Amino acid sequence: MPKRKSSALAHGTDSTPELMHMPSFDHLLPHPAKRRASQRKQALRLPKPASTNPDVNSEVLDGPEAFRASPDAEEKDETLDVDRIEGGTATHIKDEEDTVPSLVTGGESESSLSDMSDIEPPPSKKPSVAKFKIQSSETEKQQKAPSTAQAKKVEIKEPQFLDPEADGEEEADEEEIQAALSRPPPVHSDYLPLPWKGRLGYACLCTYLRFSNPPVFSSRTCRIASILENRHPLKNPDEPPHATKNRPDRDQPADIARGQAFVESLGIANAKDIVKMLRWNDRYGIKFLRLSSEMFPFASHEEYGYKLAPFASEALAEAGKVAAELGHRLTTHPGQFTQLGSPRKSVIDNALRDLEYHSELLSLLKLPPQQDRDAVMILHLGGVFGDKEATLDRFRENYKGLSPDIKKRLVLENDDVSWSVHDLLPLCEELNIPMVLDFHHNNIIFDPEHIREGTKDIMDLYPRIIATWKRKNITPKMHYSEPTPAAITGRQRRKHNPRVATLPPCPPDMDLMIEAKDKEQAVFELMRTFKLPGFDTFNDMLPHVRKDDNKPVRIAKKKTPKKKKPKKEDDDALEAAEEALDAEEEEFVQAVIPEEEVGMGGPEGRVYWPPGMEDWLRPVKKVVKKKEPGERGKPLTPAQKRKAAAEAAESAVKLEADVNEDGEVDAAVIATPTPAKRAKAVPKSRAKKTAAPKKNARSVQTPSTSDDEASGDALLSETESVPAAKKRAAPARQSARAKKISYVEEDGE
């Protein structure tokens, strides 16, 4: 059946007989562009204004399943599958055995990001499809003028999750770049807080200790699937656990206590390494450290959570004792999903458990009174959820229900997404909460009606900010970091530079947290630049060399010099001695370094690595290249010698076979290379054509007519008896057109 035209389908159904005979004007309209089936389906999807309230819209992501996602985690657990995010809905990656909600974790970062529930991903490009519809003027105005809420969503193109210390550059569209280039230049202060009397610190991880042997760090973690797996006993209980050789046997019954002991052992190892990190910092003049929130994995989980006391009390008390002895300050920074302004009850419940966990961790340190007050928990306010005032009201209400210990430690920090200093400072003054000023965040999110971008105008708010700390008798602290040099847009500027170039214009006695990817190396860089206290305690490390590790050193056997042949009676004794020497194994010498000095940089303090030279922390990778026998410096083995002799004999046989009967050697044989140069040889067939000399025409005397046959035969035999070597040596140079001519008379003539 033939297909009907689109005009027949349009006019042949519900038309009157008069309209049926009306001429069609479809041929005058431009033909619509051809589209694929996927484009047609996409064109039919009309955007709907989405609510930002998580109770109304279930697709709003505000961390309902993020129980303790810390930005300070070194290892990523179960993260968001960004490729599967569609329309603001995120799908969690789970293990096959993981039947509980996954833990959403960020990368290794110091600056927590606020929850971005009210921000949608940028809309995808719509196909250019021509539409021919008659609409009223009011309908056109409504479509051309979107609502203010939708306009805000289109303007904000920040991603929901961004690691400020991740590798790679953030992409930006043309509109973002144009908007960033049109912003006025920042106005910075020329004040430097020198001489420096405060404490510089870094967050969570010491890069030098992380790559020592054994490694020292406090963020060992696991997955829920690992907890479930370790509830089963090992296949061989008498042997230590191994990743492949001795794993838990799932065929045996599970025990919850066994899985709990596994996750607690990780926390104990993390807590014990704090002591080493504190002593390392003190040796090099660093007296400020942020503890990792991942120290005790899943401690605030709704189902797999646990209390730290009593199993971790002793280890944490030992760390607090060392911190008190050295006068160090310890703080924490709960994750980006720990927020008290969310409209969703499950998020609030998770945040309360997370704050309780951090509060217990700091309390078990048993610090002296002033150091205990200085052990604060830095928190971001979180998402805006479409209404800042409503979010502030929810925060006030939830803050009232916190325990006294959490209220004593909780401080707020301005972020680089939603909340500026002018948004938080009145709230902190109202609720008696100290406020942390982050200079880097303030250069991205600020109130242009009050201050300009840069460090100069914000200094006018120092008295109010510091007063929020003095009311509770807590030592003030500030955060400082810098964007990468290539950053242009606001989203790109959120990424932290590996190191900072200068000090901010803060008071000289401030506790300053340096948030940078290079951690303690960024602090060393400032010490060297401004000759701060401790700059002369460290030196450049040797590339790929560690002299402060207690690891076995392999020493090669010494080669004995060859001696002359002894007498026959001493042969037996010498052979026995040589066999005994060969039977000895290679010696292992254990470096005698005290346990407390392992990983401390040695007597020279070689712990600094230049910018970009992070690979110096690891041993150099050896690349073994295969060499040809002739290229090696060692003598040939007997097998190689036999092979070379066989090749030489074979070439000699070929040389003899190619000799002509008359004693002439073929030119191809002369040009045959040795086995070492066989690759550059010219093919034999080609060598005969190119290398062989041309045979000249035989020069014979021209007989006269009076000569008889005998004289002619004698002349011919005399000419043919000339040796071949002399004929080749004759400098006969003739044209290529020359032909061989013989004047010998045949018998028939």
Side-chain angles (χ1 to χ4, degrees):
M1 179 178 177
K3 295 183 179 180
R4 290 179 292 176
K5 296 183 180 180
S6 57
S7 59
L9 292 174
H11 301 285
T13 54
D14 299 332
S15 303
T16 59
E18 296 179 0
L19 295 177
M20 287 288 293
H21 299 284
M22 292 182 63
S24 175
F25 297 95
D26 291 343
H27 62 282
L28 300 178
L29 298 176
H31 190 71
K34 294 184 178 180
R35 297 174 293 168
R36 296 180 178 177
S38 58
Q39 293 178 339
R40 291 195 295 270
K41 292 179 180 179
Q42 186 177 5
L44 296 176
R45 298 172 185 169
L46 299 178
K48 298 180 181 180
S51 174
T52 57
N53 190 343
D55 293 332
V56 179
N57 186 2
S58 60
E59 294 184 352
V60 173
L61 180 64
D62 62 343
E65 296 177 351
F67 302 99
R68 187 167 55 79
S70 171
D72 302 324
E74 184 197 1
E75 299 180 7
K76 296 184 179 180
D77 295 336
E78 293 147 282
T79 56
L80 288 177
D81 189 358
V82 182
D83 296 333
R84 297 171 62 185
I85 295 179
E86 296 181 2
T89 303
T91 306
H92 293 274
I93 303 175
K94 300 183 180 181
D95 249 13
E96 294 179 1
E97 298 85 11
D98 192 358
T99 57
V100 296
S102 302
L103 176 68
V104 182
T105 58
E108 180 183 328
S109 165
E110 284 73 26
S111 175
S112 299
L113 302 179
S114 301
D115 183 58
M116 301 295 296
S117 303
D118 57 333
I119 298 176
E120 296 181 353
S124 58
K125 296 182 179 180
K126 298 181 180 180
S128 56
V129 180
K131 295 184 179 180
F132 306 98
K133 294 185 179 180
I134 302 175
Q135 299 176 344
S136 61
S137 58
E138 297 180 358
T139 307
E140 292 179 357
K141 291 180 181 180
Q142 291 178 0
Q143 291 184 351
K144 291 180 181 179
S147 61
T148 56
Q150 291 179 349
K152 291 181 180 179
K153 289 181 181 179
V154 174
E155 292 175 1
I156 303 175
K157 295 184 178 181
E158 302 291 348
Q160 293 190 7
F161 304 100
L162 175 64
D163 185 359
E165 297 177 5
D167 296 330
E169 297 295 337
E170 289 291 328
E171 296 182 358
D173 55 23
E174 186 177 354
E175 295 180 2
E176 288 180 317
I177 295 176
Q178 292 298 330
L181 295 177
S182 62
R183 79 177 196 275
V187 182
H188 294 294
S189 172
D190 58 354
Y191 170 75
L192 285 175
L194 299 177
W196 179 256
K197 301 177 182 179
R199 293 179 286 192
L200 294 177
Y202 63 93
C204 308
L205 178 71
C206 176
T207 63
Y208 187 85
L209 288 177
R210 181 63 181 85
F211 292 98
S212 63
N213 186 25
V216 178
F217 62 109
S218 61
S219 56
R220 298 172 182 87
T221 186
C222 65
R223 298 190 303 172
I224 293 178
S226 301
I227 300 176
L228 299 177
E229 183 181 15
N230 281 274
R231 290 179 176 180
H232 302 274
L234 296 175
K235 293 182 179 180
N236 189 357
D238 299 333
E239 297 291 335
H242 192 271
T244 57
K245 299 179 181 179
N246 195 17
R247 294 183 60 85
D249 189 0
R250 298 185 182 182
D251 296 334
Q252 301 185 29
D255 186 4
I256 296 178
R258 189 181 291 110
Q260 184 62 29
F262 162 74
V263 71
E264 289 177 358
S265 65
L266 297 177
I268 293 296
N270 291 333
K272 289 182 177 180
D273 279 356
I274 298 177
V275 176
K276 188 80 170 183
M277 296 173 65
L278 291 174
R279 295 197 181 278
W280 194 93
N281 290 344
D282 189 72
R283 174 170 294 192
Y284 301 108
I286 301 175
K287 296 181 177 295
F288 187 13
L289 177 66
R290 178 188 298 170
L291 299 179
S292 173
S293 294
E294 298 297 322
M295 189 180 302
F296 295 92
F298 298 98
S300 61
H301 196 279
E302 182 179 11
E303 181 178 353
Y304 299 94
Y306 49 89
K307 292 292 184 180
L308 305 184
F311 80 93
S313 300
E314 183 179 354
L316 290 175
E318 180 64 23
K321 179 181 177 181
V322 175
E325 173 190 343
L326 303 177
H328 288 207
R329 182 175 187 177
L330 302 177
T331 62
T332 59
H333 197 326
Q336 60 187 0
F337 294 110
T338 304
Q339 46 185 302
L340 297 175
S342 174
R344 199 164 192 170
K345 185 179 183 302
S346 60
V347 177
I348 301 300
D349 295 340
N350 297 334
L352 294 177
R353 287 196 306 272
D354 197 32
L355 294 176
E356 290 287 350
Y357 154 71
H358 284 84
S359 176
E360 183 185 11
L361 188 156
L362 295 175
S363 299
L364 290 177
L365 294 173
K366 305 297 181 182
L367 296 169
Q370 184 58 47
Q371 287 180 284
D372 187 56
R373 286 192 294 269
D374 292 345
V376 296
M377 302 183 300
I378 302 98
L379 190 69
H380 288 292
L381 193 58
V384 177
F385 305 102
D387 190 347
K388 280 191 174 183
E389 291 300 327
T391 303
L392 292 174
D393 292 339
R394 287 191 296 269
F395 179 87
R396 294 186 182 96
E397 187 66 24
N398 294 324
Y399 180 78
K400 294 177 182 178
L402 298 178
S403 63
D405 190 70
I406 295 179
K407 287 183 178 180
K408 178 182 69 174
R409 301 184 186 278
L410 188 65
V411 299
L412 291 179
E413 177 191 358
N414 61 306
D415 58 57
D416 53 1
V417 178
S418 304
W419 300 95
S420 66
V421 174
H422 287 85
D423 293 328
L424 297 185
L425 188 55
L427 179 68
C428 293
E429 293 173 338
E430 174 189 348
L431 300 179
N432 194 21
I433 301 176
M435 178 185 167
V436 178
L437 172 62
D438 190 302
F439 289 92
H440 177 60
H441 294 171
N442 180 70
N443 288 335
I444 299 175
I445 300 297
F446 59 93
D447 191 347
E449 297 181 358
H450 296 86
I451 61 175
R452 296 168 293 181
E453 179 185 345
T455 58
K456 186 175 182 179
D457 293 354
I458 195 64
M459 296 178 66
D460 297 337
L461 297 178
Y462 281 2
R464 294 177 59 187
I465 293 174
I466 296 177
T468 60
W469 296 87
K470 297 298 184 183
R471 293 192 191 102
K472 288 190 172 183
N473 195 21
I474 303 176
T475 305
K477 69 185 292 283
M478 293 181 178
H479 295 174
Y480 184 70
S481 56
E482 295 175 356
T484 56
I488 299 177
T489 66
R491 178 172 54 181
Q492 294 173 339
R493 289 159 58 210
R494 289 165 62 184
K495 182 181 176 182
H496 293 168
N497 206 34
R499 304 192 186 186
V500 294
T502 185
L503 287 167
C506 61
D509 58 347
M510 181 65 61
D511 286 350
L512 188 63
M513 175 62 64
I514 304 300
E515 296 182 324
K517 182 180 179 181
D518 289 350
K519 306 297 181 179
E520 83 285 350
Q521 302 296 322
V523 178
F524 288 161
E525 202 72 37
L526 286 176
M527 288 181 176
R528 280 193 168 183
T529 303
F530 298 101
K531 301 296 185 292
L532 304 182
F535 79 96
D536 54 350
T537 59
F538 56 89
N539 293 293
D540 292 10
M541 65 178 298
L542 300 176
H544 315 289
V545 176
R546 291 287 187 104
K547 295 185 178 182
D548 56 357
D549 287 346
N550 252 347
K551 58 183 179 180
V553 179
R554 187 182 298 271
I555 298 179
K557 294 183 298 185
K558 295 182 179 178
K559 294 184 178 180
T560 56
K562 292 184 178 181
K563 297 181 180 179
K564 296 182 179 180
K565 273 190 174 184
K567 297 180 181 180
K568 293 182 179 180
E569 57 269 14
D570 298 336
D571 285 350
D572 298 337
L574 183 59
E575 289 179 1
E578 290 179 352
E579 290 177 0
L581 183 62
D582 294 339
E584 291 182 1
E585 297 181 356
E586 295 180 345
E587 298 180 1
F588 288 85
V589 178
Q590 186 74 19
V592 184
I593 299 177
E595 187 63 28
E596 60 272 9
E597 293 297 323
V598 175
M600 300 299 289
E604 298 176 344
R606 292 186 174 274
V607 295
Y608 171 84
W609 47 274
M613 297 291 106
E614 188 176 359
D615 60 322
W616 284 14
L617 297 169
R618 306 174 181 87
V620 63
K621 293 183 179 180
K622 295 182 179 180
V623 181
V624 180
K625 295 182 178 180
K626 285 188 175 182
K627 295 183 179 180
E628 296 295 333
E631 298 178 1
R632 298 176 183 173
K634 299 181 180 180
L636 298 177
T637 61
Q640 293 173 347
K641 291 180 179 178
R642 289 193 298 269
K643 184 178 179 180
E647 291 178 351
E650 183 182 355
S651 61
V653 171
K654 290 183 178 180
L655 182 63
E656 293 178 359
D658 292 334
V659 175
N660 294 336
E661 294 179 357
D662 55 355
E664 184 178 353
V665 181
D666 189 61
V669 178
I670 298 174
T672 302
T674 61
K677 299 181 179 180
R678 189 179 296 274
K680 298 181 179 179
V682 182
K684 186 175 180 181
S685 60
R686 183 179 175 186
K688 288 183 178 180
K689 297 179 181 179
T690 57
K694 297 180 180 179
K695 294 185 178 180
N696 302 324
R698 286 180 290 185
S699 57
V700 295
Q701 297 180 4
T702 305
S704 61
T705 55
S706 62
D707 293 338
D708 55 359
E709 295 181 0
S711 61
D713 295 338
L715 182 61
L716 178 61
S717 60
E718 182 182 358
T719 307
E720 291 179 348
S721 63
V722 180
K726 291 183 178 182
K727 287 192 291 183
R728 286 199 306 269
R733 188 171 181 180
Q734 297 180 358
S735 173
R737 300 177 181 177
K739 299 181 180 179
K740 297 180 182 180
I741 305 173
S742 177
Y743 295 93
V744 180
E745 297 180 357
E746 296 182 358
D747 297 338
E749 294 181 358

